[in-house]
Amino acid sequence: MEVIGISLNPMIIIVLALSFAILIISHSLLKLFVITSTPNPNLPPGCMGFPFVGETLSFLKPHHSNSIGTFLQHHCSRYGKVFKSHLFGWPAIVSCDRELNVFILQNDDKLFKVSYPKAMHGILGTNSLIIAAGHTHRKLRNVVVSFTSWCKSRPSFLHSLHNLSISLMDSWRSQTQLLFCKELKMFALSVMVKELLGIKANESIGSKILEEFETYMKGFVSLPLNLPGTPYSKAVKARGRLSYIVKEMMRERRRRGLLEGNDEDFLQVIMSNWKLSDEEIVSVVLDILLGGYETTATLMGLIVYFLAHSPPNVLAKLKEEHEAIRIGKRNGEYLNLEDYKQMDFTCNVILEAMRCGNVVKFLHREALADVKFKDIVIPSGWKVHPVFSAIHLDPTLHPNPQQFNPWRWTDDKEMSKKVTPFGGGPRLCPGIELAKLEIAFFLHHFVLNYRWKTRADECPLAYPYVKFKRDLVLEIEPLQLLK
């Protein structure tokens, strides 16, 4: 199918953009007037900022991801841990309070609903697990949970993780410098593409999926302006092409009758065992790829960054744990789930990187009715933003919160109640254990085969999504022959 490009006069683009902006501003001002016209003395203090934009730009200003940023520092010191604002075109309550955050998470789909900006729907699709609610969310979440269990139960998945890790280590041996996050995203996505769709990343269809997914992700974190040539517009089109690829694979399997009793990959499992529409299946596939590509790879980057900037005893302890596991293996023997169960300190390292790095900074929710919490009332229709990073870096909860200290997860038995790195309530991330397993296996090979350091100006930044300035440039040096 031939693709025809459309060239627009720059003046026409400016006029269209201004018209679009005026329409959005007018609509938002009307909503703002209606929703705030009734006085509410029980609102928390705060500032509504400028018309339409409110305080959105200040709220989203990039900062080190292991800090809460100047906006939250200023507002929490002035108004307290819960304050009102005007964000993303809507009046909002921002919560940096642990109790309120837990209350919001526990009452998802009861007192609060998911309420991401409309532009997100264009990229994710209406059936995405991130956006879906009620019965649809529960059904799709069960499929993703099933994927996690399915992978862990298959020796072939663990073997694939082992082989891909070894292959990656081997490909780095002649290099002295890496764009680490870029490498890890391709690694993580390759793992998921193989398990989900039964194809290898180096196959033509695999390469096409990787290429389209890169375009998809660039638009996912871009300005949501749906004009020709913008990253957002390209991402919406890339999602359409990815959807087409998955649907074609499904049609081919149905044509060939490759469903009953076949579980070579998880797409087969979904088509055989779950009563989902084709659109729902596509959304599940893309959601799993999204988690594998972005979240898992970003967390790996954070771990390697924090290890490079921590006292030597942290990495020494991690290497000691993995060296003990390697000594117990015969030459070439694969890691298994029993080995994973011995990686206690590794799991603490992963959790501490989540606490310090804050892959997910905050959530988007909306009050379904007037909600009373202690002495404040959250009005019906107001947006609510529980901020995870503020809890993770709260000095009243975590001594020296900026310090990367994996031992706090064994020294403080209440740590699991003081952090929400994977969300909570009915929307607790369904891929937690699979991500931890994948990262633990990768770390086993990496820490035993390489030493590394980062550039002095490299650090994780919250945009609010976490990103390294240069994809985390690492200077690496092999330790020994691969084993």
Side-chain angles (χ1 to χ4, degrees):
M1 182 175 66
E2 189 174 355
V3 179
I4 301 175
I6 299 176
S7 177
L8 292 180
N9 185 291
M11 185 57 68
I12 295 177
I13 294 176
I14 292 172
V15 170
L16 287 173
L18 287 174
S19 301
F20 178 74
I22 291 170
L23 180 64
I24 294 295
I25 290 172
S26 301
H27 183 55
S28 296
L29 288 175
L30 177 61
K31 291 188 294 185
L32 179 61
F33 173 76
V34 171
I35 206 167
T36 59
S37 57
T38 304
N40 190 329
N42 294 315
L43 280 170
C47 174
M48 303 305 280
F50 297 104
F52 178 62
V53 295
E55 298 186 296
T56 306
L57 298 179
S58 298
F59 182 69
L60 295 178
K61 183 179 180 181
H63 57 86
H64 289 192
S65 72
N66 59 335
S67 74
I68 64 173
T70 55
F71 177 86
L72 290 179
Q73 286 176 348
H74 172 267
H75 281 60
C76 287
S77 63
R78 184 172 182 182
Y79 304 118
K81 291 184 178 181
V82 181
F83 56 88
K84 67 181 179 183
S85 185
H86 184 238
L87 302 171
F88 309 102
W90 202 268
I93 301 296
V94 178
S95 171
C96 298
D97 178 79
R98 178 169 64 115
E99 288 185 59
L100 178 53
N101 285 5
V102 171
F103 177 78
I104 294 167
L105 293 174
Q106 294 298 330
N107 284 283
D108 257 325
D109 293 333
K110 297 176 184 176
L111 301 177
F112 304 95
K113 70 175 182 178
V114 172
S115 185
Y116 285 90
K118 292 293 183 184
M120 294 280 284
H121 295 230
I123 290 186
L124 292 169
T126 55
N127 290 304
S128 171
L129 188 62
I130 299 172
I131 292 172
H135 172 71
T136 301
H137 175 264
R138 289 191 293 273
K139 177 174 63 173
L140 298 179
R141 188 181 188 281
N142 286 340
V143 179
V144 179
V145 170
S146 175
F147 173 69
T148 296
S149 302
W150 183 80
C151 286
K152 290 178 66 177
S153 68
R154 288 162 56 88
S156 60
F157 172 71
L158 304 182
H159 295 172
S160 177
L161 267 182
H162 177 93
N163 290 332
L164 282 168
S165 298
I166 290 293
S167 176
L168 196 60
M169 299 300 123
D170 196 24
S171 71
W172 293 344
R173 297 196 71 79
S174 62
Q175 301 185 51
T176 58
Q177 210 172 73
L178 291 174
L179 294 178
F180 189 74
C181 284
K182 183 177 180 180
E183 295 271 332
L184 263 293
K185 285 176 182 178
M186 291 301 101
F187 166 78
L189 192 57
S190 297
V191 171
M192 291 298 102
V193 166
K194 185 176 185 302
E195 294 306 310
L196 271 172
L197 306 175
I199 57 180
K200 296 180 180 179
N202 58 3
E203 295 179 32
S204 59
I205 186 66
S207 299
K208 179 64 175 173
I209 290 173
L210 296 182
E211 178 186 336
E212 295 290 2
F213 213 82
E214 280 204 78
T215 303
Y216 175 71
M217 280 308 306
K218 287 177 182 176
F220 189 79
V221 294
S222 69
L223 184 68
L225 192 60
N226 200 5
L227 293 174
T230 61
Y232 179 85
S233 174
K234 290 179 180 179
V236 172
K237 292 176 182 177
R239 189 197 186 280
R241 291 189 292 269
L242 286 166
S243 175
Y244 178 80
I245 290 171
V246 177
K247 287 179 180 178
E248 280 296 297
M249 295 179 71
M250 292 163 60
R251 279 191 281 268
E252 177 63 16
R253 294 177 191 215
R254 287 175 180 139
R255 186 184 69 79
R256 296 170 59 193
L258 297 177
L259 297 181
E260 205 64 40
N262 193 323
D263 65 348
E264 288 302 308
D265 57 59
F266 196 67
L267 180 59
Q268 297 284 81
V269 175
I270 299 175
M271 294 175 69
S272 302
N273 303 325
W274 294 86
K275 294 180 179 180
L276 301 179
S277 68
D278 285 1
E279 291 298 334
E280 288 174 331
I281 293 174
V282 168
S283 286
V284 166
V285 169
L286 295 186
D287 282 345
I288 293 174
L289 290 179
L290 174 63
Y293 177 85
E294 187 67 22
T295 309
T296 304
T298 299
L299 180 52
M300 289 184 188
L302 287 169
I303 291 168
V304 167
Y305 171 83
F306 287 128
L307 287 173
H309 292 266
S310 297
N313 64 323
V314 179
L315 181 56
K317 175 64 176 178
L318 186 64
K319 290 176 69 174
E320 177 186 319
E321 181 170 87
H322 287 283
E323 187 62 52
I325 293 170
R326 181 167 65 177
I327 290 172
K329 311 294 287 185
R330 292 189 296 273
N331 190 34
E333 188 177 0
Y334 292 115
L335 293 172
N336 55 42
L337 289 180
E338 291 304 313
D339 298 318
Y340 175 64
K341 292 176 183 177
Q342 297 178 46
M343 300 180 187
D344 293 334
F345 190 74
T346 303
C347 287
N348 290 345
V349 165
I350 295 171
L351 291 171
E352 182 68 351
M354 288 291 286
R355 184 194 68 81
C356 286
N358 296 289
V359 175
V360 178
K361 179 180 177 180
F362 65 94
L363 298 179
H364 295 260
R365 296 293 185 264
E366 180 181 323
L368 292 170
D370 287 356
V371 178
K372 189 176 189 308
F373 179 81
K374 295 185 177 180
D375 58 346
I376 69 167
V377 171
I378 302 172
S380 175
W382 278 51
K383 305 298 181 183
V384 184
H385 300 292
V387 181
F388 293 164
S389 58
I391 310 306
H392 298 164
L393 301 169
D394 187 340
T396 66
L397 297 173
H398 313 288
N400 301 314
Q402 258 85 34
Q403 181 185 7
F404 185 78
N405 176 16
W407 284 278
R408 70 173 83 233
W409 289 85
T410 49
D411 296 342
D412 184 352
K413 303 301 181 184
E414 299 292 313
M415 276 298 294
S416 61
K417 298 179 182 179
K418 296 179 180 180
V419 295
T420 49
F422 300 102
R427 288 184 173 271
L428 180 70
C429 174
I432 296 173
E433 288 305 318
L434 188 60
K436 288 168 63 179
L437 175 66
E438 185 178 338
I439 293 169
F441 274 41
F442 170 81
L443 284 175
H444 172 83
H445 298 288
F446 186 58
V447 302
L448 292 180
N449 285 286
Y450 286 95
R451 63 170 59 94
W452 68 94
K453 62 181 179 179
T454 67
R455 288 184 172 180
D457 61 344
E458 191 75 271
C459 65
L461 297 173
Y463 282 88
Y465 62 94
V466 175
K467 182 179 179 181
F468 289 89
K469 286 182 179 179
R470 300 173 184 81
D471 272 328
L472 185 55
V473 177
L474 290 189
E475 295 178 11
I476 64 169
E477 180 184 351
L479 289 173
Q480 56 194 23
L481 292 177
L482 288 168
K483 292 185 180 180

